[in-house]
Amino acid sequence: MFVLFGATGDLASRMVLPAFYRLAREGLLPGQWRLVGNGRGDVAHEDFRAHVHDALTESGAKPDPQDWDAFAQRVFFAGGGFSTESPGSLLDVIGKARSALGGDPQLVHYQAVPPAAFAGLTEALGQHGLAKDARVVYEKPFGTSGDAFRKLDQVVHSVLDEQQVYRIDHFLGKEATQDLHLLRFGNGLFASCWDAEHVESVQIDVPETLDISNRAQFYDATGAVLDMLVTHLFQVAAEVAMEPPASLGPLDLQAAREEVISRFRRLDPAEVVLGQFDGYRDVPGVAPRSKRDTFVAARLWIDSDRWRGVPFYLRTGKRMATSAQRVSLILREPRGPLSGRLPRDANVLAFSLAGDGEIDLSLVTKKPGPALDLDVAHAGIALAGLPGADPLPPYVRLIHDVLLGDRSLFTRPDGLASVWDVAEPLLSKAAAGPALRTRVMGTR
């Protein structure tokens, strides 16, 4: 049984509901299931089903009329909110669903709500007997500062065991993000050059053309640093930088990722650029004098033998000229007869994390002809084009993993504690109201 808190909100409509419908359409849900949405309003089951249909249509996953009725009859809504003081109608709706399913169905609680609501909902799950053996999914960011993280973590572990907790970061569910370690560990060509001796820099770029008008209040309380840097970009950096795990099993993979995060050095505000796009303060819901960052570029250092001295450039922003999700390993120029003569944009191994993912390699070649003219050749592998490929979007993959009980691609509290420590100097400066700077750093 899948209980979706914040079921009529933007995140649920854009991401969670389309992902859940995709799982149903592809036969990846259990044979018997129920989806129970929860919210403050008193919404009839039929009205919520209509909302779900509209959300799926707007997301591009318009339901097939032939299977919509079978899907919709398993969808319910429990109104009146949910808190320690009052469970609203949720207990009644869950009770009826349990009776219909029979036995003791697995409960999955998905908190598609702002971070400030996590603690209260978690305490309510314990208060009303819905926590035992349940799996609970938390959206990012898990906390909004080091102190907020520690308080939330304490509340969560007062109600749940760690194995029940799934802190989602959808960048870890991307096909190409997973290929960051599979390509490296499965191919000697790349495994042998995955270190400071061969890599000049690592660049992680996620520019977005998207505006923030649909979630202005959330974004003005969060900004690029919290929304992207200390969540997605740090996790992707860890995927690149981790030491080879003992296996690719859930515990070993998580441990390798969290171990390297503990090696991240604290950000130096002098090596971080914050920016705000023109017109941001004119967006309804944004404070008139807001200094909230919509762009961040940071230089991160990792204190490990493998990566010491190699800068990791992390960059993201809203309302940029183009959209991309790209990880680039800039390889050092090899010593030899061509030293100093190589094209600047050669020797790059890049991963596009967008869509179904792509791997790109830029190589130095001789331009065909009588002279020794050097050029750059590009080779690309579209992951979806591999024979038999059946790529799943990140939210579909991660919700499926929750249903299976696989925590490989979810974050752990020790790694998050390190993340907040790394970001503390920047967050403290941002809280003090830093002057915004707009110079570009570390591009190539």
Side-chain angles (χ1 to χ4, degrees), residues 48-58 61-65 68:
F48 180 58
R49 290 164 185 163
H51 166 79
V52 173
H53 190 282
D54 290 344
L56 297 178
T57 301
E58 291 174 9
K62 186 176 181 178
D64 185 332
W68 168 248

Side-chain angles (χ1 to χ4, degrees), residues 212-227:
I212 51 89
S213 55
N214 291 334
R215 53 180 193 143
Q217 288 184 325
F218 166 81
Y219 200 87
D220 202 41
T222 307
V225 171
L226 289 178
D227 188 43

Side-chain angles (χ1 to χ4, degrees), residues 123-136:
E123 290 174 327
L125 291 175
Q127 176 73 25
H128 298 297
L130 296 180
K132 187 177 186 301
D133 298 327
R135 297 168 187 164
V136 185

Side-chain angles (χ1 to χ4, degrees), residues 144-221:
T144 54
S145 67
D147 287 341
F149 159 74
R150 286 185 286 272
K151 291 175 183 177
L152 175 58
D153 191 54
Q154 186 175 20
V155 169
V156 168
H157 285 108
S158 71
V159 176
L160 305 166
D161 294 331
E162 175 60 22
Q163 294 304 308
Q164 296 177 263
V165 180
Y166 294 76
R167 302 172 194 83
I168 201 167
D169 187 312
H170 76 268
F171 266 54
L172 292 180
K174 289 177 174 290
E175 291 285 355
T177 303
Q178 297 164 57
D179 261 294
L180 285 171
H181 56 255
L182 291 176
L183 181 89
R184 167 188 172 190
F185 300 137
N187 297 276
L189 172 65
F190 301 116
S192 62
C193 68
W194 212 273
D195 54 33
E197 181 180 354
H198 299 92
V199 177
E200 175 187 294
S201 67
V202 177
Q203 305 191 15
I204 302 173
D205 292 286
V206 188
E208 298 179 282
T209 58
L210 291 174
D211 203 335
I212 51 89
S213 55
N214 291 334
R215 53 180 193 143
Q217 288 184 325
F218 166 81
Y219 200 87
D220 202 41

Side-chain angles (χ1 to χ4, degrees), residues 208-346:
E208 298 179 282
T209 58
L210 291 174
D211 203 335
I212 51 89
S213 55
N214 291 334
R215 53 180 193 143
Q217 288 184 325
F218 166 81
Y219 200 87
D220 202 41
T222 307
V225 171
L226 289 178
D227 188 43
M228 293 292 294
L229 181 67
V230 301
T231 52
H232 302 322
L233 302 193
F234 275 10
Q235 294 298 327
V236 173
E239 283 288 312
V240 175
M242 67 182 177
E243 291 299 307
S247 74
L248 295 185
L251 296 180
D252 290 334
L253 194 57
Q254 276 191 323
R257 191 186 303 119
E258 310 309 333
E259 165 61 23
V260 77
I261 291 176
S262 72
R263 303 274 182 170
F264 288 7
R265 278 162 49 182
R266 288 185 128 200
L267 291 176
D268 181 351
E271 294 188 300
V272 178
V273 175
L274 301 176
Q276 185 185 93
F277 65 73
D278 289 339
Y280 174 75
R281 297 171 186 172
D282 299 327
V283 176
V286 172
R289 298 183 179 179
S290 175
K291 293 185 178 181
R292 180 59 61 204
D293 47 282
T294 67
F295 170 87
V296 59
R299 185 158 46 210
L300 173 72
W301 303 94
I302 300 177
D303 192 14
S304 71
D305 290 341
R306 182 180 299 275
W307 296 109
R308 193 169 290 111
V310 176
F312 280 60
Y313 294 107
L314 315 180
R315 297 178 288 251
T316 185
K318 299 291 186 186
R319 283 268 297 267
M320 305 292 283
T322 187
S323 287
Q325 299 174 3
R326 196 166 186 83
V327 178
S328 303
L329 275 71
I330 313 301
L331 303 177
R332 296 188 186 278
E333 183 178 288
R335 300 184 185 91
L338 295 178
S339 293
R341 296 178 55 190
L342 301 183
R344 183 90 176 124
D345 56 347

